[in-house]
Amino acid sequence: MTSESFQPIQGMSDLAPPEIYLWQRLEETARDILHRYSFREVRTPVLERTDVFTRSLGDATDVVQKEMYSFADRGGRDLTLRPEGTAGVIRFVAGQGQDAQDARLYYIGPMFRSERPQAGRRRQFHQLGVEAIGAPSPAADVEVIALQAHLLTAWGLKDFRMELNTRGAPGDQERVTAGLRSALASSQSVLCADCRRRYEQNPLRILDCKNETCRETVAQLPPVTDFMSPEARAYLDTVADMLERLEIPVTRNPRLVRGLDYYVHTVWEVTHMGLGAQDAVSGGGRYTLTLGNKTIEGVGFAMGLERVITALAGQGVKAADLEAPPVVWLVAQGDAAFEENLILMQSLRMRGVACGMDLQGRSMKAQMRAAHRTRSRYVIIRGDQEMERGTFQLKHMEDGTQEELDMPDLMKRLMPAKGLAISDTEEE
Ligand code: HAM
């Protein structure tokens, strides 16, 4: 094996300490907040039948056209590694019957897109997403947007910007398509090859093209909302008004379309200034999805956790600072003390104290070095004398002071250190 083969495949990463401490912190904070909003977790498989995605994301989207990891398994079934979370959650909800009509679900997990890897664009990345199932209601959209802002703020993200638009009411799509085709008719020849195809398939996708000439052409277009019904514009106005009352700052962007085609009515995207070209940290909207004979309506968003973490790191957040060191390190001189420490360590762990010790029988010096390395708050030292007296030397690592204690006093010292009531120690 060459050292190269120890690397994960391109565009995918191992998530390990110290970086993982920041992931854990984000997830803990998020679970607490999601609970406050009555969202419950769902874990759907990372592998789905390919049609779960092709039927819902839209044939003309980049994700379906060129980014899915699809393959036939040994039984010849056409499968895809999920490129996003909404379609799988809706498949789950569709199978649940009436009870799931107003489900409020969240998910945290890996997604897979076979994109060209570059800064901020991974082939395996992680999303935290929510889906609130239910019929269109501006208040439901606002609630989900408020939750998204709450999460980003609670994580400490600064300088993010949220843009808001509408994809129109369900009946508006034909009018928008016709309106855009006629507005773009004379510029067809300057569009890129992809956009010439999009012109036929779904001209709305042209608004999302990153090609410079296409962007210049799009900049000349009237806002898409001009082609939409008064109902769609009123819905968007209501959402914007309610957000203002909740003091959640948003900017209207009439050219925002989002990269997936299941959206109707409200769509939004959050960008962060410190991220460069791939600056979207979160995106969402209201959708209608039909799977089999079921049509499910809902509203949701998904945040790209790698991008949130990159943005936080850019603000100076250090993952290593979030590591929780052990409370106690046990050090033994001699075999008898080693064995007693093993028993004490298990008992402390059962009582909720994070602790550790050297298991190789190393010298006192090496054990103390390990204690320093782990940044433990206390060290318990036991040698022959302490064994005879039934005592422990408790060293406070912060100031280097040391005291000799018997078992009840040792427990009194250690239990409050991890927030347990002293009465918890009395069974000792
Ligand atoms: P999306 O905009 O495709 O929406 O993805 C959401 C977020 O995932 C993006 O804003 C970005 O932060 C992150 N992301 C996407 N692709 C990559 C990548 N290749 N590398 C790193 N991060 C990436 C959705 O997936 C919808 N399912 C959101 C939704 C939920 N809409 C309604 N409900």
Side-chain angles (χ1 to χ4, degrees):
M1 246 186 162
T2 62
S3 57
E4 211 171 73
S5 47
F6 299 138
Q7 297 301 317
I9 56 181
Q10 204 193 6
M12 305 197 179
S13 304
D14 300 309
L15 298 174
E19 199 199 345
I20 201 78
Y21 304 129
L22 189 48
W23 286 81
Q24 291 170 341
R25 172 65 63 88
L26 295 190
E27 287 175 21
E28 276 161 29
T29 309
R31 286 182 204 283
D32 170 37
I33 292 170
L34 287 157
H35 172 71
R36 293 187 221 171
Y37 287 74
S38 306
F39 278 84
R40 300 193 294 173
E41 185 174 6
V42 62
R43 300 187 190 189
T44 61
V46 291
L47 210 51
E48 296 273 1
R49 282 194 328 272
T50 296
D51 64 3
V52 168
F53 304 110
T54 49
R55 289 215 199 134
S56 34
L57 308 189
D59 290 340
T61 59
D62 280 356
V63 175
V64 168
Q65 290 274 328
K66 42 192 176 190
E67 294 171 3
M68 295 206 304
Y69 278 105
S70 300
F71 59 95
D73 74 355
R74 285 167 196 271
R77 284 168 287 255
D78 199 359
L79 304 179
T80 294
L81 276 169
R82 61 181 186 193
E84 58 99 59
T86 310
V89 170
I90 298 307
R91 178 206 38 76
F92 164 76
V93 168
Q96 294 296 296
Q98 279 306 109
D99 285 354
Q101 290 301 301
D102 52 3
R104 295 159 73 84
L105 299 167
Y106 78 87
Y107 47 91
I108 306 176
M111 308 291 159
F112 304 85
R113 294 185 193 178
S114 161
E115 302 188 78
R116 198 163 52 79
Q118 60 185 90
R121 189 177 269 171
R122 317 288 306 156
R123 288 182 168 168
Q124 177 178 322
F125 58 98
H126 296 75
Q127 285 186 345
L128 184 155
V130 314
E131 313 296 349
I133 309 305
S137 141
D141 302 5
V142 166
E143 186 202 27
V144 161
I145 293 172
L147 163 60
Q148 177 195 249
H150 191 162
L151 286 169
L152 294 172
T153 311
W155 286 339
L157 201 72
K158 300 188 180 89
D159 303 326
F160 61 85
R161 173 188 162 92
M162 196 173 90
E163 294 188 343
L164 183 74
N165 196 22
T166 176
R167 287 282 295 258
D172 287 349
Q173 211 184 348
E174 275 172 32
R175 257 187 286 181
V176 170
T177 303
L180 283 173
R181 279 207 188 109
S182 83
L184 285 162
S186 59
S187 344
Q188 267 191 80
S189 56
V190 300
L191 296 174
C192 72
D194 276 345
C195 282
R196 287 203 292 274
R197 175 178 51 76
R198 290 170 182 143
Y199 183 89
E200 300 302 332
Q201 275 189 322
N202 182 0
L204 197 65
R205 295 255 64 84
I206 297 172
L207 271 61
D208 224 13
C209 184
K210 303 287 177 280
N211 177 295
E212 207 40 57
T213 329
C214 298
R215 286 167 78 130
E216 280 165 23
T217 311
V218 164
Q220 311 300 320
L221 291 174
V224 269
T225 36
D226 282 10
F227 306 123
M228 291 174 188
S229 56
E231 177 206 344
R233 286 199 290 265
Y235 190 109
L236 180 66
D237 288 342
T238 310
V239 170
D241 289 349
M242 286 181 176
L243 286 170
E244 202 178 322
R245 295 194 61 184
L246 291 181
E247 295 181 13
I248 295 170
V250 289
T251 309
R252 293 229 203 162
N253 175 357
R255 294 183 210 293
L256 177 74
V257 293
R258 303 269 304 123
L260 303 161
D261 271 344
Y262 45 55
Y263 294 113
V264 288
H265 283 302
T266 323
V267 284
W268 66 88
E269 206 151 82
V270 180
T271 52
H272 188 271
M273 276 162 37
L275 283 178
Q278 305 301 323
D279 61 355
V281 289
S282 183
R286 170 157 289 286
Y287 50 81
T288 302
L289 262 126
T290 302
L291 284 179
N293 57 358
K294 285 223 175 145
T295 296
I296 310 262
E297 296 178 298
V299 59
F301 62 79
M303 317 205 184
L305 294 177
E306 278 80 358
R307 294 189 190 169
V308 170
I309 282 181
T310 306
L312 287 174
Q315 285 177 201
V317 175
K318 292 210 169 34
D321 295 344
L322 301 174
E323 180 175 10
V327 176
V328 187
W329 198 256
L330 292 90
V331 168
Q333 193 169 33
D335 293 346
F338 177 88
E339 277 176 31
E340 286 299 317
N341 274 2
L342 210 55
I343 296 165
L344 176 61
M345 177 170 73
Q346 185 65 14
S347 154
L348 285 171
R349 286 175 174 169
M350 298 294 280
R351 286 152 182 273
V353 180
C355 55
M357 63 183 267
D358 171 71
L359 301 174
Q360 318 290 330
R362 290 199 180 89
S363 69
M364 278 283 284
K365 212 168 142 192
Q367 291 182 61
M368 285 308 292
R369 260 205 308 272
H372 280 286
R373 211 173 33 243
T374 61
R375 297 192 292 128
S376 300
R377 202 180 324 160
Y378 300 107
V379 176
I380 293 174
I381 306 164
R382 267 208 286 195
D384 292 341
Q385 283 178 4
E386 286 80 15
M387 292 291 290
E388 257 170 47
R389 292 200 288 265
T391 59
F392 307 83
Q393 299 290 340
L394 184 70
K395 184 164 182 171
H396 299 241
M397 297 303 273
E398 205 173 66
D399 56 12
T401 57
Q402 196 164 306
E403 50 185 342
E404 188 165 353
L405 302 168
D406 60 12
M407 182 65 102
D409 283 341
L410 178 75
M411 286 298 169
K412 276 187 200 142
R413 283 279 191 288
L414 295 183
M415 291 301 154
K418 60 147 304 278
L420 281 185
I422 291 173
S423 60
D424 288 350
T425 70
E426 278 171 1
E427 61 191 271
E428 182 70 28

